[in-house]
mmCIF file of all heavy atoms in Angstrom:
data_model
loop_
_atom_site.group_PDB
_atom_site.id
_atom_site.type_symbol
_atom_site.label_atom_id
_atom_site.label_comp_id
_atom_site.label_asym_id
_atom_site.label_seq_id
_atom_site.Cartn_x
_atom_site.Cartn_y
_atom_site.Cartn_z
ATOM 1 N N MET A 14 107.855 54.266 74.430
ATOM 2 C CA MET A 14 107.963 54.612 73.024
ATOM 3 C C MET A 14 107.380 55.953 72.704
ATOM 4 O O MET A 14 107.941 56.709 71.885
ATOM 5 C CB MET A 14 107.304 53.549 72.191
ATOM 6 C CG MET A 14 108.078 52.237 72.066
ATOM 7 S SD MET A 14 107.419 51.103 70.799
ATOM 8 C CE MET A 14 106.009 50.450 71.689
ATOM 9 N N LEU A 15 106.256 56.281 73.297
ATOM 10 C CA LEU A 15 105.640 57.583 73.120
ATOM 11 C C LEU A 15 106.574 58.701 73.636
ATOM 12 O O LEU A 15 106.715 59.694 72.940
ATOM 13 C CB LEU A 15 104.319 57.669 73.862
ATOM 14 C CG LEU A 15 103.093 57.106 73.166
ATOM 15 C CD1 LEU A 15 101.950 56.955 74.152
ATOM 16 C CD2 LEU A 15 102.677 58.007 72.015
ATOM 17 N N HIS A 16 107.120 58.485 74.769
ATOM 18 C CA HIS A 16 108.055 59.466 75.357
ATOM 19 C C HIS A 16 109.236 59.729 74.427
ATOM 20 O O HIS A 16 109.563 60.850 74.120
ATOM 21 C CB HIS A 16 108.527 59.017 76.736
ATOM 22 C CG HIS A 16 109.469 60.012 77.345
ATOM 23 N ND1 HIS A 16 109.052 61.108 77.995
ATOM 24 C CD2 HIS A 16 110.829 59.996 77.426
ATOM 25 C CE1 HIS A 16 110.089 61.822 78.404
ATOM 26 N NE2 HIS A 16 111.200 61.121 78.105
ATOM 27 N N ASP A 17 109.812 58.614 73.925
ATOM 28 C CA ASP A 17 110.945 58.742 72.996
ATOM 29 C C ASP A 17 110.547 59.471 71.717
ATOM 30 O O ASP A 17 111.278 60.351 71.216
ATOM 31 C CB ASP A 17 111.522 57.375 72.633
ATOM 32 C CG ASP A 17 112.160 56.667 73.836
ATOM 33 O OD1 ASP A 17 112.465 57.364 74.825
ATOM 34 O OD2 ASP A 17 112.396 55.468 73.740
ATOM 35 N N MET A 18 109.353 59.155 71.179
ATOM 36 C CA MET A 18 108.928 59.777 69.935
ATOM 37 C C MET A 18 108.656 61.278 70.184
ATOM 38 O O MET A 18 109.089 62.090 69.374
ATOM 39 C CB MET A 18 107.636 59.135 69.422
ATOM 40 C CG MET A 18 107.171 59.725 68.084
ATOM 41 S SD MET A 18 105.421 59.467 67.719
ATOM 42 C CE MET A 18 104.582 60.256 69.066
ATOM 43 N N LEU A 19 107.966 61.610 71.228
ATOM 44 C CA LEU A 19 107.642 63.001 71.508
ATOM 45 C C LEU A 19 108.890 63.804 71.816
ATOM 46 O O LEU A 19 109.005 64.958 71.418
ATOM 47 C CB LEU A 19 106.639 63.097 72.656
ATOM 48 C CG LEU A 19 105.239 62.541 72.265
ATOM 49 C CD1 LEU A 19 104.394 62.404 73.578
ATOM 50 C CD2 LEU A 19 104.543 63.410 71.259
ATOM 51 N N THR A 20 109.836 63.203 72.528
ATOM 52 C CA THR A 20 111.103 63.891 72.815
ATOM 53 C C THR A 20 111.880 64.128 71.511
ATOM 54 O O THR A 20 112.461 65.183 71.335
ATOM 55 C CB THR A 20 111.931 63.047 73.816
ATOM 56 O OG1 THR A 20 111.157 62.833 74.991
ATOM 57 C CG2 THR A 20 113.231 63.719 74.154
ATOM 58 N N ALA A 21 111.890 63.158 70.632
ATOM 59 C CA ALA A 21 112.558 63.312 69.345
ATOM 60 C C ALA A 21 111.915 64.409 68.544
ATOM 61 O O ALA A 21 112.619 65.219 67.910
ATOM 62 C CB ALA A 21 112.506 62.024 68.549
ATOM 63 N N ARG A 22 110.573 64.499 68.553
ATOM 64 C CA ARG A 22 109.905 65.574 67.836
ATOM 65 C C ARG A 22 110.230 66.934 68.404
ATOM 66 O O ARG A 22 110.503 67.894 67.676
ATOM 67 C CB ARG A 22 108.361 65.329 67.906
ATOM 68 C CG ARG A 22 107.611 66.334 67.023
ATOM 69 C CD ARG A 22 106.138 66.164 67.169
ATOM 70 N NE ARG A 22 105.778 66.639 68.522
ATOM 71 C CZ ARG A 22 104.544 66.598 69.022
ATOM 72 N NH1 ARG A 22 103.582 66.057 68.358
ATOM 73 N NH2 ARG A 22 104.302 67.081 70.218
ATOM 74 N N GLU A 23 110.238 67.036 69.743
ATOM 75 C CA GLU A 23 110.586 68.306 70.379
ATOM 76 C C GLU A 23 112.041 68.687 70.101
ATOM 77 O O GLU A 23 112.369 69.860 69.998
ATOM 78 C CB GLU A 23 110.373 68.212 71.920
ATOM 79 C CG GLU A 23 108.929 68.114 72.356
ATOM 80 C CD GLU A 23 108.193 69.426 72.210
ATOM 81 O OE1 GLU A 23 108.778 70.447 72.517
ATOM 82 O OE2 GLU A 23 106.983 69.342 71.813
ATOM 83 N N GLY A 24 112.906 67.682 69.985
ATOM 84 C CA GLY A 24 114.302 67.922 69.728
ATOM 85 C C GLY A 24 114.664 68.172 68.292
ATOM 86 O O GLY A 24 115.858 68.397 67.975
ATOM 87 N N GLY A 25 113.698 68.143 67.402
ATOM 88 C CA GLY A 25 113.978 68.390 65.999
ATOM 89 C C GLY A 25 114.708 67.257 65.262
ATOM 90 O O GLY A 25 115.468 67.491 64.370
ATOM 91 N N GLU A 26 114.383 66.027 65.657
ATOM 92 C CA GLU A 26 114.998 64.875 65.066
ATOM 93 C C GLU A 26 114.685 64.849 63.564
ATOM 94 O O GLU A 26 113.681 65.416 63.108
ATOM 95 C CB GLU A 26 114.474 63.621 65.738
ATOM 96 C CG GLU A 26 115.167 62.319 65.392
ATOM 97 C CD GLU A 26 116.637 62.332 65.756
ATOM 98 O OE1 GLU A 26 116.948 62.402 66.932
ATOM 99 O OE2 GLU A 26 117.479 62.311 64.829
ATOM 100 N N SER A 27 115.507 64.172 62.761
ATOM 101 C CA SER A 27 115.316 64.093 61.348
ATOM 102 C C SER A 27 114.039 63.343 60.994
ATOM 103 O O SER A 27 113.560 62.525 61.768
ATOM 104 C CB SER A 27 116.512 63.378 60.678
ATOM 105 O OG SER A 27 116.557 62.027 61.087
ATOM 106 N N ALA A 28 113.464 63.662 59.879
ATOM 107 C CA ALA A 28 112.181 63.122 59.435
ATOM 108 C C ALA A 28 112.172 61.564 59.381
ATOM 109 O O ALA A 28 111.242 60.962 59.833
ATOM 110 C CB ALA A 28 111.756 63.725 58.102
ATOM 111 N N PRO A 29 113.214 60.956 58.812
ATOM 112 C CA PRO A 29 113.185 59.467 58.748
ATOM 113 C C PRO A 29 113.172 58.831 60.121
ATOM 114 O O PRO A 29 112.453 57.839 60.349
ATOM 115 C CB PRO A 29 114.465 59.138 58.018
ATOM 116 C CG PRO A 29 114.772 60.312 57.200
ATOM 117 C CD PRO A 29 114.328 61.450 58.007
ATOM 118 N N ARG A 30 113.913 59.368 61.043
ATOM 119 C CA ARG A 30 113.940 58.799 62.399
ATOM 120 C C ARG A 30 112.646 59.038 63.107
ATOM 121 O O ARG A 30 112.123 58.142 63.836
ATOM 122 C CB ARG A 30 115.095 59.399 63.228
ATOM 123 C CG ARG A 30 116.444 58.848 62.768
ATOM 124 C CD ARG A 30 117.528 59.384 63.664
ATOM 125 N NE ARG A 30 118.798 58.957 63.143
ATOM 126 C CZ ARG A 30 119.756 58.447 63.883
ATOM 127 N NH1 ARG A 30 119.631 58.397 65.189
ATOM 128 N NH2 ARG A 30 120.889 58.121 63.351
ATOM 129 N N LEU A 31 112.041 60.178 62.912
ATOM 130 C CA LEU A 31 110.763 60.464 63.522
ATOM 131 C C LEU A 31 109.656 59.611 62.926
ATOM 132 O O LEU A 31 108.803 59.104 63.650
ATOM 133 C CB LEU A 31 110.469 61.962 63.366
ATOM 134 C CG LEU A 31 109.290 62.506 64.175
ATOM 135 C CD1 LEU A 31 109.440 62.216 65.677
ATOM 136 C CD2 LEU A 31 109.132 64.007 63.940
ATOM 137 N N ALA A 32 109.707 59.399 61.662
ATOM 138 C CA ALA A 32 108.716 58.523 60.976
ATOM 139 C C ALA A 32 108.838 57.077 61.491
ATOM 140 O O ALA A 32 107.838 56.437 61.710
ATOM 141 C CB ALA A 32 108.953 58.564 59.450
ATOM 142 N N ARG A 33 110.061 56.632 61.721
ATOM 143 C CA ARG A 33 110.238 55.275 62.223
ATOM 144 C C ARG A 33 109.666 55.183 63.644
ATOM 145 O O ARG A 33 108.959 54.205 64.003
ATOM 146 C CB ARG A 33 111.704 54.895 62.270
ATOM 147 C CG ARG A 33 111.992 53.545 62.822
ATOM 148 C CD ARG A 33 113.469 53.230 62.825
ATOM 149 N NE ARG A 33 113.755 52.056 63.647
ATOM 150 C CZ ARG A 33 114.105 50.897 63.166
ATOM 151 N NH1 ARG A 33 114.199 50.719 61.840
ATOM 152 N NH2 ARG A 33 114.329 49.879 63.958
ATOM 153 N N ALA A 34 109.919 56.172 64.492
ATOM 154 C CA ALA A 34 109.400 56.182 65.868
ATOM 155 C C ALA A 34 107.872 56.200 65.867
ATOM 156 O O ALA A 34 107.243 55.471 66.610
ATOM 157 C CB ALA A 34 109.958 57.366 66.629
ATOM 158 N N LYS A 35 107.303 57.001 64.961
ATOM 159 C CA LYS A 35 105.846 57.071 64.886
ATOM 160 C C LYS A 35 105.265 55.740 64.407
ATOM 161 O O LYS A 35 104.221 55.300 64.894
ATOM 162 C CB LYS A 35 105.398 58.154 63.906
ATOM 163 C CG LYS A 35 105.598 59.526 64.460
ATOM 164 C CD LYS A 35 105.131 60.605 63.424
ATOM 165 C CE LYS A 35 105.292 61.985 64.002
ATOM 166 N NZ LYS A 35 104.871 62.999 63.015
ATOM 167 N N GLY A 36 105.960 55.063 63.481
ATOM 168 C CA GLY A 36 105.491 53.783 63.006
ATOM 169 C C GLY A 36 105.513 52.700 64.109
ATOM 170 O O GLY A 36 104.629 51.889 64.204
ATOM 171 N N CYS A 37 106.559 52.739 64.943
ATOM 172 C CA CYS A 37 106.640 51.826 66.054
ATOM 173 C C CYS A 37 105.520 52.043 67.079
ATOM 174 O O CYS A 37 104.890 51.097 67.557
ATOM 175 C CB CYS A 37 107.979 51.954 66.788
ATOM 176 S SG CYS A 37 109.350 51.330 65.782
ATOM 177 N N VAL A 38 105.235 53.313 67.357
ATOM 178 C CA VAL A 38 104.138 53.619 68.289
ATOM 179 C C VAL A 38 102.816 53.180 67.697
ATOM 180 O O VAL A 38 102.005 52.580 68.386
ATOM 181 C CB VAL A 38 104.119 55.168 68.623
ATOM 182 C CG1 VAL A 38 102.853 55.548 69.310
ATOM 183 C CG2 VAL A 38 105.326 55.506 69.470
ATOM 184 N N ASP A 39 102.615 53.478 66.426
ATOM 185 C CA ASP A 39 101.400 53.094 65.756
ATOM 186 C C ASP A 39 101.198 51.590 65.795
ATOM 187 O O ASP A 39 100.109 51.059 66.042
ATOM 188 C CB ASP A 39 101.393 53.603 64.310
ATOM 189 C CG ASP A 39 100.058 53.393 63.601
ATOM 190 O OD1 ASP A 39 99.008 53.656 64.201
ATOM 191 O OD2 ASP A 39 100.124 52.859 62.439
ATOM 192 N N GLY A 40 102.222 50.821 65.495
ATOM 193 C CA GLY A 40 102.151 49.363 65.491
ATOM 194 C C GLY A 40 101.816 48.817 66.890
ATOM 195 O O GLY A 40 101.034 47.875 67.069
ATOM 196 N N ALA A 41 102.467 49.392 67.906
ATOM 197 C CA ALA A 41 102.254 48.913 69.296
ATOM 198 C C ALA A 41 100.754 49.195 69.676
ATOM 199 O O ALA A 41 100.156 48.379 70.334
ATOM 200 C CB ALA A 41 103.228 49.624 70.210
ATOM 201 N N MET A 42 100.293 50.391 69.289
ATOM 202 C CA MET A 42 98.913 50.717 69.628
ATOM 203 C C MET A 42 97.925 49.779 68.890
ATOM 204 O O MET A 42 96.930 49.315 69.501
ATOM 205 C CB MET A 42 98.643 52.174 69.300
ATOM 206 C CG MET A 42 99.326 53.157 70.203
ATOM 207 S SD MET A 42 99.249 54.872 69.747
ATOM 208 C CE MET A 42 97.509 55.222 69.963
ATOM 209 N N ARG A 43 98.196 49.466 67.654
ATOM 210 C CA ARG A 43 97.363 48.585 66.877
ATOM 211 C C ARG A 43 97.352 47.196 67.523
ATOM 212 O O ARG A 43 96.342 46.551 67.629
ATOM 213 C CB ARG A 43 97.850 48.530 65.426
ATOM 214 C CG ARG A 43 97.173 47.505 64.574
ATOM 215 C CD ARG A 43 95.674 47.556 64.462
ATOM 216 N NE ARG A 43 95.175 48.823 64.154
ATOM 217 C CZ ARG A 43 93.872 49.204 64.313
ATOM 218 N NH1 ARG A 43 93.014 48.335 64.714
ATOM 219 N NH2 ARG A 43 93.499 50.371 63.980
ATOM 220 N N ALA A 44 98.514 46.706 67.952
ATOM 221 C CA ALA A 44 98.614 45.392 68.579
ATOM 222 C C ALA A 44 97.799 45.364 69.862
ATOM 223 O O ALA A 44 97.122 44.362 70.186
ATOM 224 C CB ALA A 44 100.075 45.061 68.848
ATOM 225 N N LEU A 45 97.840 46.414 70.693
ATOM 226 C CA LEU A 45 97.112 46.488 71.896
ATOM 227 C C LEU A 45 95.583 46.488 71.628
ATOM 228 O O LEU A 45 94.820 45.834 72.356
ATOM 229 C CB LEU A 45 97.478 47.719 72.745
ATOM 230 C CG LEU A 45 98.784 47.613 73.451
ATOM 231 C CD1 LEU A 45 99.225 49.003 73.962
ATOM 232 C CD2 LEU A 45 98.705 46.643 74.594
ATOM 233 N N LEU A 46 95.174 47.213 70.611
ATOM 234 C CA LEU A 46 93.755 47.231 70.235
ATOM 235 C C LEU A 46 93.302 45.840 69.717
ATOM 236 O O LEU A 46 92.252 45.341 70.127
ATOM 237 C CB LEU A 46 93.499 48.307 69.180
ATOM 238 C CG LEU A 46 93.473 49.746 69.703
ATOM 239 C CD1 LEU A 46 93.383 50.670 68.476
ATOM 240 C CD2 LEU A 46 92.283 49.972 70.580
ATOM 241 N N ASP A 47 94.069 45.293 68.790
ATOM 242 C CA ASP A 47 93.673 44.015 68.179
ATOM 243 C C ASP A 47 93.654 42.863 69.158
ATOM 244 O O ASP A 47 92.868 41.954 69.017
ATOM 245 C CB ASP A 47 94.594 43.682 67.033
ATOM 246 C CG ASP A 47 94.415 44.620 65.796
ATOM 247 O OD1 ASP A 47 93.394 45.360 65.780
ATOM 248 O OD2 ASP A 47 95.249 44.583 64.893
ATOM 249 N N SER A 48 94.537 42.911 70.154
ATOM 250 C CA SER A 48 94.614 41.837 71.142
ATOM 251 C C SER A 48 93.544 42.013 72.235
ATOM 252 O O SER A 48 93.326 41.108 73.042
ATOM 253 C CB SER A 48 95.982 41.753 71.752
ATOM 254 O OG SER A 48 96.223 42.862 72.560
ATOM 255 N N GLY A 49 92.891 43.166 72.251
ATOM 256 C CA GLY A 49 91.895 43.426 73.286
ATOM 257 C C GLY A 49 92.503 43.816 74.624
ATOM 258 O O GLY A 49 91.762 43.889 75.622
ATOM 259 N N GLN A 50 93.771 44.076 74.641
ATOM 260 C CA GLN A 50 94.412 44.479 75.922
ATOM 261 C C GLN A 50 94.121 45.939 76.338
ATOM 262 O O GLN A 50 94.242 46.276 77.495
ATOM 263 C CB GLN A 50 95.897 44.290 75.840
ATOM 264 C CG GLN A 50 96.368 42.849 75.889
ATOM 265 C CD GLN A 50 97.859 42.730 75.945
ATOM 266 O OE1 GLN A 50 98.564 43.298 75.127
ATOM 267 N NE2 GLN A 50 98.345 41.998 76.940
#
Side-chain angles (χ1 to χ4, degrees):
M14 285 191 283
L15 276 166
H16 180 80
D17 292 344
M18 182 202 61
L19 293 168
T20 303
R22 186 184 71 183
E23 291 286 321
E26 190 62 65
S27 66
R30 287 184 185 225
L31 192 54
R33 179 183 167 105
K35 286 180 179 181
C37 290
V38 168
D39 186 47
M42 290 172 67
R43 172 56 51 195
L45 285 167
L46 284 171
D47 289 349
S48 68
Q50 287 186 307

